[in-house]
């Protein structure tokens, strides 16, 4: 009987671990190819970025990576390659609850703006909690927080024709 209980405990732990790993993944869909799934390790391997904001009345520091770096990892071009029809491409950011917002690709490109959009996974030195994370969009210079998407799960690059 103890062996059976042990087996059930191990199986439950494996299922729970698989669900946790899956919840830490980020899917990126680009118009020209199949979806790319980045793990938490893939995202944390990108160059880090910090954003300190005064939103909600107190100073908060978010850490993560730039949204541009994540998209580049998926093959999206910026800089000199972002021109012509590609200037009409946009990014749809989707949350676990279905909330969606849109960004024009030039909003993330240092060749067009000094503003930075961060895909955060740390807030004030601690990982984002379940209500906010595992990933959150942070835009320090934006006046309204309407595009600060919580629980980001999917990034879709859409070509507008």
């Amino acid at each position: 009987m103890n062996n059976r209980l042990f087996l059930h405990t191990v199986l439950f732990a494996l299922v729970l671990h698989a669900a946790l790993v899956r919840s830490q993944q980020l899917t990126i869909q680009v118009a020209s190819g199949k979806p790319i799934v980045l793990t938490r390790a893939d995202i944390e391997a990108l160059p880090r970025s910090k954003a300190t904001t005064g939103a909600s009345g107190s100073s908060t520091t978010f850490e993560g990576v730039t949204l541009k770096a994540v998209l580049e990892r998926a093959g999206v071009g910026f800089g000199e390659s972002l021109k012509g029809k590609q200037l009409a491409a946009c990014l749809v950011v989707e949350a676990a609850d279905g909330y969606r917002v849109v960004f024009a690709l030039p909003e993330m490109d240092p060749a067009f703006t000094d503003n930075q959009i961060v895909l955060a996974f740390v807030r004030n030195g601690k990982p984002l909690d379940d209500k906010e994370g595992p990933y959150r969009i942070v835009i320090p210079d934006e006046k309204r927080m309407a595009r600060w998407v919580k629980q980001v799960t999917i990034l879709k690059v859409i070509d507008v024709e």
Side-chain angles (χ1 to χ4, degrees):
M1 195 67 153
N2 276 344
N3 287 342
R4 195 170 193 189
L5 179 61
F6 176 74
L7 181 60
H8 280 90
T9 303
V10 168
L11 286 174
F12 177 74
L14 287 173
V15 168
L16 188 60
H17 177 71
L20 179 61
V21 167
R22 200 173 16 252
S23 72
Q24 297 284 311
Q25 294 177 337
L26 181 65
T27 301
I28 304 168
Q29 297 175 345
V30 293
S32 60
K34 66 178 187 171
I36 296 163
V37 177
L38 297 181
T39 65
R40 178 69 173 241
D42 294 332
I43 294 168
E44 287 187 2
L46 296 170
R48 291 289 183 107
S49 183
K50 283 187 180 184
T52 301
T53 70
S56 302
S58 64
S59 181
T60 303
T61 300
F62 291 94
E63 296 177 53
V65 297
T66 63
L67 201 48
K68 174 187 174 277
V70 173
L71 294 175
E72 284 178 323
R73 175 76 164 70
V76 176
F78 289 94
E80 292 300 317
S81 66
L82 186 56
K83 59 186 174 185
K85 290 181 181 180
Q86 293 169 329
L87 290 173
C90 61
L91 173 69
V92 177
V93 178
E94 292 188 19
D97 65 359
Y99 186 74
R100 296 183 296 170
V101 299
V102 175
F103 296 92
L105 289 185
E107 288 184 83
M108 292 163 251
D109 192 333
F112 288 88
T113 182
D114 290 330
N115 294 340
Q116 194 175 63
I117 302 172
V118 176
L119 181 71
F121 42 84
V122 174
R123 179 186 185 130
N124 293 330
K126 297 178 184 174
L128 297 176
D129 63 25
D130 292 340
K131 291 180 182 178
E132 195 172 21
Y135 307 108
R136 178 182 187 155
I137 298 295
V138 176
I139 315 155
D141 296 324
E142 212 159 64
K143 291 181 181 181
R144 292 183 58 205
M145 294 173 56
R147 296 195 300 172
W148 287 39
V149 181
K150 297 177 184 179
Q151 299 179 333
V152 174
T153 57
I154 300 172
L155 304 176
K156 292 181 185 177
V157 178
I158 299 172
D159 291 332
V160 179
E161 301 269 336

